[in-house]
Amino acid sequence: MHQSTTPSEQVFREPPSVPDSMDALRALSLSISKGNSRIKLGPKARQVLARLIELRGDKALLSISSLAQRLQVNPSTISRLARTLGYQSFGDLQQVLLSESFAAAGSFYIEHAQAALTADTSALTQQASRLCHEQQANIERLIESLERSSFEQCTKILASANRVRIHGARQFHAYCAFISYGLATLRSDVSLLEQSLQGAAEGLAALDKGDLLVIASCEPYTSSVIRVAEAAKAAGIQVIAITDRSSSPLVAHSDLALFVPHETSYLSNSMTAFFSLAECLINACASQLKESALQAIKRRDAFIQSLKIES
């Protein structure tokens, strides 16, 4: 009898041998994080692997000592990780990590940010210029690392699920509100899940198997958000995680995950690349829904006009 393949099996399928490309290494990292791999790593090792993938092509990868310093771990930790993944030595893993490019993703912007720091302007202007270029670099990384099949599957589910609920805490609550607003202009039955666990419990209880929960968080992860994702997945609700790396605790409780780089000199987690991904998802959903999205937008605009909301 033919058995259908779930979205999570399609996205997180483990490569059959030692990864010889970045795509294969990403797939293995996701499989390990979801507990589907024969390879078992502790939380620290999973985080090191995820950060190694983020550093693809970075000059820090040219030596294990410089890499260990960047990751703030002992070189022996990286060597053990390489052997656990099936490589003969760190050098074999190093070749894969350097295979895509020799310069770090977005290095053009980083170089310009460094140049801005030496420019003859006020300190505040230098700081603003640096931050903007760092955000540009993160968007570059997002473009380069966005996995096509995961993105396409996410947009299809966002467009077709009977009900969509979106959940995040702290500054991710505002992010989720942005996604909810955009999707609600295109389709019906989209709303936020309440931030409180009591409100989240009531919201999840109203969902059925096949409905969708979109959940968002990045390091440091909000523990209540992880618990909501875990409860939803256990109840058979589809879960899409928007997070930062494959070692994120949200991955284990999701069917699909999209990853967003966010490291900048901003005083909190930078949200610029996250919002860029949100806009991409909303536009892609509009493309999926086509005529029904157009009709939903027209109906919404008609009410805006009749209520004289805009002037």
Side-chain angles (χ1 to χ4, degrees):
M1 181 181 295
H2 176 71
Q3 293 183 339
S4 60
T5 304
T6 65
S8 58
E9 288 170 338
Q10 293 173 357
V11 175
F12 299 115
R13 186 182 295 118
E14 182 178 350
S17 59
V18 179
D20 60 359
S21 68
M22 285 300 298
D23 286 342
L25 189 61
R26 289 188 191 99
L28 176 58
S29 178
L30 289 168
S31 180
I32 291 170
S33 294
K34 289 186 70 67
N36 296 334
S37 173
R38 57 181 172 76
I39 298 173
K40 306 301 178 184
L41 298 176
K44 182 178 180 180
R46 290 199 303 271
Q47 185 177 45
V48 169
L49 175 57
R51 293 192 65 195
L52 282 173
I53 292 171
E54 287 182 343
L55 288 172
R56 65 197 182 283
D58 194 292
K59 292 178 181 178
L61 295 167
L62 291 175
S63 75
I64 194 168
S65 58
S66 62
L67 181 59
Q69 185 176 9
R70 172 72 72 85
L71 299 181
Q72 296 182 323
V73 298
N74 194 292
S76 62
T77 299
I78 301 173
S79 296
R80 284 196 301 271
L81 174 62
R83 291 193 295 271
T84 302
L85 296 175
Y87 297 99
Q88 292 294 316
S89 66
F90 167 70
D92 295 330
L93 172 60
Q94 182 186 41
Q95 288 182 2
V96 174
L97 294 168
L98 289 170
S99 62
E100 289 194 347
S101 64
F102 186 72
S107 60
F108 170 83
Y109 299 111
I110 293 173
E111 290 169 2
H112 278 254
Q114 291 171 340
L117 291 174
T118 61
D120 186 22
T121 56
S122 70
L124 290 179
T125 303
Q126 292 173 6
Q127 185 183 70
S129 178
R130 175 182 177 180
L131 180 58
C132 288
H133 286 301
E134 289 169 345
Q135 291 164 345
Q136 286 178 304
N138 277 333
I139 294 175
E140 282 284 304
R141 288 185 180 275
L142 173 65
I143 294 167
E144 293 176 7
S145 62
L146 191 60
E147 208 276 316
R148 177 178 175 179
S149 64
S150 297
F151 181 78
E152 291 180 351
Q153 288 184 71
C154 284
T155 57
K156 287 177 182 177
I157 297 171
L158 282 167
S160 63
N162 289 332
R163 287 172 286 195
V164 178
R165 298 295 179 264
I166 307 168
H167 182 63
R170 299 185 289 179
Q171 65 185 34
F172 274 96
H173 180 69
Y175 177 68
C176 290
F178 179 82
I179 297 175
S180 178
Y181 179 85
L183 285 178
T185 64
L186 307 174
R187 51 154 297 165
S188 61
D189 217 338
V190 177
S191 64
L192 289 173
L193 207 63
E194 287 191 27
Q195 280 192 280
S196 71
L197 286 177
Q198 177 63 36
E202 293 172 357
L204 290 176
L207 300 181
D208 296 321
K209 290 185 177 181
D211 291 336
L212 174 65
L213 173 68
V214 178
I215 200 148
S217 186
C218 72
E219 189 178 13
Y221 310 98
T222 305
S223 57
S224 63
V225 173
I226 300 170
R227 294 201 295 274
V228 169
E230 184 177 11
K233 189 70 166 63
I237 298 165
Q238 297 180 97
V239 178
I240 291 176
I242 300 177
T243 187
D244 50 356
R245 52 177 68 102
S246 59
S247 60
S248 165
L250 294 183
V251 171
H253 309 303
S254 66
D255 296 288
L256 292 162
L258 297 174
F259 303 106
V260 182
H262 63 89
E263 292 186 8
T264 68
S265 55
Y266 177 54
L267 55 86
S268 183
N269 291 318
S270 176
M271 300 298 294
T272 303
F274 278 100
F275 276 98
S276 294
L277 176 63
E279 292 184 7
C280 292
L281 284 170
I282 293 166
N283 268 14
C285 284
S287 298
Q288 289 281 344
L289 292 167
K290 299 184 185 302
E291 184 61 29
S292 65
L294 179 60
Q295 293 305 316
I297 292 171
K298 287 182 177 179
R299 180 175 171 81
R300 170 181 171 274
D301 285 350
F303 278 113
I304 289 174
Q305 291 178 19
S306 67
L307 295 171
K308 297 181 172 57
I309 292 172
E310 297 175 347
S311 58

